[in-house]
Amino acid sequence: MSPYRYIRYDTVDEGRIARIVLNRPQARNAQNRGLLVELDEAFGRAESDDTVRVVVLSGEGPVFSAGHDLGTPEYVAERTPGPDLHPSFGCDGGTHTPVEMRYRQEYEHFYDNTRRWRNLRKITIAQVHGSVLSAALMLTWACDLIVAAEDTVFADVVAARLGMCGVEYFGHPWEFGPRKAKELLLTGDSVDADEAYRLGMVSKVFPADELEDRTLAFARRIAALPTMAALMVKDSVNQAMDASGFTVALDACFSLHQLNHAHWTVVSEGRSVVGTPELGMPDWRGAPGIRPARKDVV
């Protein structure tokens, strides 16, 4: 039996390719704490296995991921004192005062883990489809390569719907470009797979019914490369980005994200860490559908 509750893990091609599948389709693969902890364990498992050369990350069900879990029963239970409380809420600042608690908890489970996956000692491929929303972008951007189904849309809606300055791992200017990043964040609009390919964010775009097979074929091409050469390619590109300021910018933007949370905490007098209807934001639960970012439409 699988040791995981929220993901699946297997290997193919005699162990050369590991596949990690987000497995909360009933919640649109929203990222609760249990899923994130299991995902970190699965990435570490693949990293430590010397047979694995490539890791493919995908999602079960109609979408890759809707981002952070904002209120499913499992999310509520794992944060509430009692038998279902997740142990991660009792450490890493989980017992401290609200601002420090959120700073340390989000650092560990929303930011530092994503940086760790970005630097995994294996080549990683995100296989995405349907919606890739907000925190789902972080999972996708942590991977070395992104392969998308033709129906995929990418969007970060947290500024437009929650009054936050993007997600914790702020790769937007690097992935979209500076002005496109501002547009997409300020409007909450989306880009499709073809536009993401044009921007250089996505490597391949396949028909949805061929996505899994063609991603596996792509992974096999990468897995054929000698492991040392593959790792040096990855490190060369990552270090070039780091030398140009990528990781410094990530650190700074994570701090700004926490300042934004602190702002809402003060404005709401401790009742909320994000913008709510009572504070002038629209209710995200009733938000209209995400609009595509088109050059000829306001």
Side-chain angles (χ1 to χ4, degrees):
M1 294 181 62
S2 170
Y4 304 113
R5 179 178 177 184
Y6 301 113
I7 68 170
R8 296 200 311 271
Y9 181 100
D10 71 351
T11 60
V12 296
D13 290 7
E14 299 179 330
R16 291 160 63 90
I17 299 172
R19 298 188 294 192
I20 303 172
V21 183
L22 309 180
N23 193 28
R24 295 188 75 207
Q26 75 288 353
R28 299 174 66 83
N29 293 323
Q31 301 161 34
N32 63 323
R33 181 61 56 82
L35 182 146
L36 289 170
V37 170
E38 289 184 0
L39 182 58
D40 192 42
E41 291 174 353
F43 271 129
R45 175 178 174 181
E47 185 174 49
S48 64
D49 185 343
D50 285 348
T51 304
V52 172
R53 293 180 171 219
V54 175
V55 182
V56 177
L57 174 66
S58 64
E60 184 65 43
V63 306
F64 173 69
S65 174
H68 287 318
D69 190 334
L70 297 180
T72 68
E74 289 171 310
Y75 165 89
V76 173
E78 69 182 9
R79 300 172 66 90
T80 304
D84 296 321
L85 178 68
H86 196 279
S88 65
F89 287 102
C91 57
D92 293 317
T95 63
H96 292 326
T97 53
V99 172
E100 182 179 359
M101 177 274 293
R102 182 161 296 276
Y103 188 99
R104 291 194 56 195
Q105 285 273 298
E106 291 199 353
Y107 184 91
E108 176 64 29
H109 296 287
F110 296 163
Y111 178 53
D112 200 36
N113 56 351
T114 310
R115 292 195 306 176
R116 188 159 57 246
W117 304 334
R118 182 235 184 192
N119 292 310
L120 203 78
R121 301 292 80 195
K122 304 294 171 71
I123 302 301
T124 54
I125 301 175
Q127 172 191 307
V128 300
H129 68 286
S131 301
V132 182
L133 302 183
S134 301
L137 292 170
M138 303 199 305
L139 303 187
T140 305
W141 290 340
C143 293
D144 299 305
L145 301 165
I146 302 171
V147 173
E150 291 173 337
D151 66 349
T152 310
V153 294
F154 304 87
D156 187 342
V157 299
V158 297
R161 297 187 179 182
L162 297 176
M164 291 296 301
C165 55
V167 291
E168 293 81 2
Y169 181 92
F170 196 81
H172 307 62
W174 306 85
E175 300 287 352
F176 294 134
R179 285 193 175 83
K180 197 67 176 178
K182 291 176 184 177
E183 175 196 347
L184 296 176
L185 284 161
L186 291 168
T187 63
D189 290 349
S190 67
V191 295
D192 61 19
D194 285 338
E195 177 68 0
Y197 176 81
R198 189 191 69 79
L199 292 170
M201 189 179 90
V202 163
S203 298
K204 306 289 181 182
V205 180
F206 298 131
D209 61 354
E210 300 176 14
L211 179 64
E212 184 173 348
D213 289 343
R214 297 187 70 176
T215 301
L216 184 57
F218 187 43
R220 285 175 173 140
R221 283 192 63 193
I222 306 302
L225 198 66
T227 54
M228 187 63 174
L231 183 58
M232 292 300 97
V233 166
K234 173 172 182 158
D235 281 353
S236 295
V237 175
N238 281 6
Q239 288 178 25
M241 292 179 66
D242 292 343
S244 63
F246 178 69
T247 50
V248 174
L250 286 182
D251 285 342
C253 291
F254 176 75
S255 296
L256 289 173
H257 185 92
Q258 297 307 312
L259 176 60
N260 207 163
H261 275 314
H263 162 77
W264 288 118
T265 301
V266 171
V267 171
S268 70
E269 297 180 339
R271 293 187 298 274
S272 178
V273 298
V274 297
T276 64
E278 295 76 17
L279 301 173
M281 293 296 299
D283 190 341
W284 64 268
R285 295 173 181 83
I290 297 170
R291 299 167 54 177
R294 292 178 49 186
K295 66 181 181 181
D296 58 344
V297 176
V298 174

